[in-house]
Amino acid sequence: MGKIDTLQKYIDACDIKRRSEVEKKQFLYEIFGVYENEIGNIRSELDMYRWGHEGKPVDYDGDIIKIKAKLINYKDNLELEEQRRKDELELAKLKQNNINLSANANNSNNVNINIMLNQVMESIEQISDEILTKDEKDDLEDKLSGIDSAVKNNKNEKAKEKIVGVLKFLADKGADALIAVLPYLGQMAGRLLK
């Protein structure tokens, strides 16, 4: 039986009619024993603790009604706190999912860049040695790797400089070389604008 279930048991027990003042008083003391440390001022405003009854009997039935109201309020607070914890947990799970989605999106972009770079490298290797010599191909591959590294490390100015350098280099090499590299350069330039 959970805390709220036990609390509900005492709330329901408040409705049981007790005949003697001794039974009523014992019931109230039982509730004090269980909840006094959790419900601040549980004994306040009760008739049994009123000074000077002036010959009138203590209204234990009225005290039980007041205790029932305090127990109901306490139960409502517990349920509210439980719901708040569930909401916070749900929010934390949603944030975790957003982080995972974001990380997956970033990983996906990085993979696309690597695949694109590898594809460009393969295209460069297929260009005729008459258009680009082996040394020029190696130099171009190094420059493209430098662009990739600069973009990944958010060094936008350096990446722009490298892209311009590659375009100048390719301008003298002909259309085949430019066509092989231009889609990759466009993708890198697009990432710099984001």
Side-chain angles (χ1 to χ4, degrees):
M1 184 177 291
K3 186 174 199 109
I4 292 178
D5 294 331
T6 302
L7 186 55
Q8 186 61 52
K9 182 187 91 159
Y10 279 108
I11 291 170
D12 293 340
C14 288
D15 292 330
I16 297 172
K17 296 293 180 199
R18 290 167 182 80
R19 295 182 183 220
S20 74
E21 289 186 4
V22 172
E23 287 178 311
K24 295 172 187 178
K25 194 174 182 179
Q26 284 176 343
F27 176 67
L28 288 169
Y29 282 130
E30 180 180 342
I31 290 176
F32 298 153
V34 175
Y35 292 106
E36 188 165 37
N37 291 331
E38 296 179 44
I39 303 174
N41 299 321
I42 191 168
R43 296 177 190 239
S44 68
E45 303 300 320
L46 297 181
D47 193 57
M48 65 190 291
Y49 292 107
R50 178 174 51 90
W51 288 98
H53 290 280
E54 300 166 2
K56 296 180 186 174
V58 175
D59 182 12
Y60 289 110
D61 290 326
D63 285 351
I64 290 173
I65 291 169
K66 290 175 187 174
I67 288 294
K68 179 180 179 182
K70 290 180 182 191
L71 293 176
I72 289 171
N73 184 56
Y74 180 59
K75 178 183 173 209
D76 290 344
N77 289 341
L78 288 177
E79 289 173 336
L80 183 64
E81 185 60 34
E82 183 179 356
Q83 186 60 45
R84 189 175 298 133
R85 279 194 298 267
K86 286 179 183 177
D87 292 345
E88 287 173 359
L89 180 62
E90 188 64 30
L91 184 60
K93 286 179 183 178
L94 289 174
K95 284 182 181 178
Q96 180 65 34
N97 286 341
N98 286 342
I99 290 169
N100 287 340
L101 288 174
S102 176
N104 289 341
N106 287 339
N107 289 340
S108 174
N109 288 340
N110 291 340
V111 170
N112 288 340
I113 291 169
N114 289 333
I115 291 170
M116 190 66 163
L117 181 59
N118 290 338
Q119 290 171 343
V120 170
M121 300 291 193
E122 288 174 12
S123 296
I124 291 170
E125 290 300 322
Q126 293 174 3
I127 296 173
S128 165
D129 289 339
E130 295 170 5
I131 298 172
L132 284 177
T133 66
K134 175 77 170 125
D135 290 339
E136 288 175 326
K137 289 177 185 179
D138 290 341
D139 187 37
L140 181 57
E141 288 176 0
D142 288 342
K143 289 180 182 189
L144 294 176
S145 293
I147 293 170
D148 183 59
S149 177
V151 169
K152 284 181 180 177
N153 292 318
N154 292 323
K155 296 180 178 176
N156 292 350
E157 288 304 314
K158 188 170 188 150
K160 286 178 188 177
E161 290 174 16
K162 289 181 178 284
I163 290 172
V164 169
V166 169
L167 286 172
K168 286 179 182 177
F169 173 78
L170 290 175
D172 296 334
K173 302 301 176 189
D176 288 340
L178 195 57
I179 290 171
V181 177
L182 201 54
Y184 176 75
L185 294 178
Q187 181 180 345
M188 291 297 101
R191 287 193 42 110
L192 293 176
L193 296 175
K194 290 181 182 176

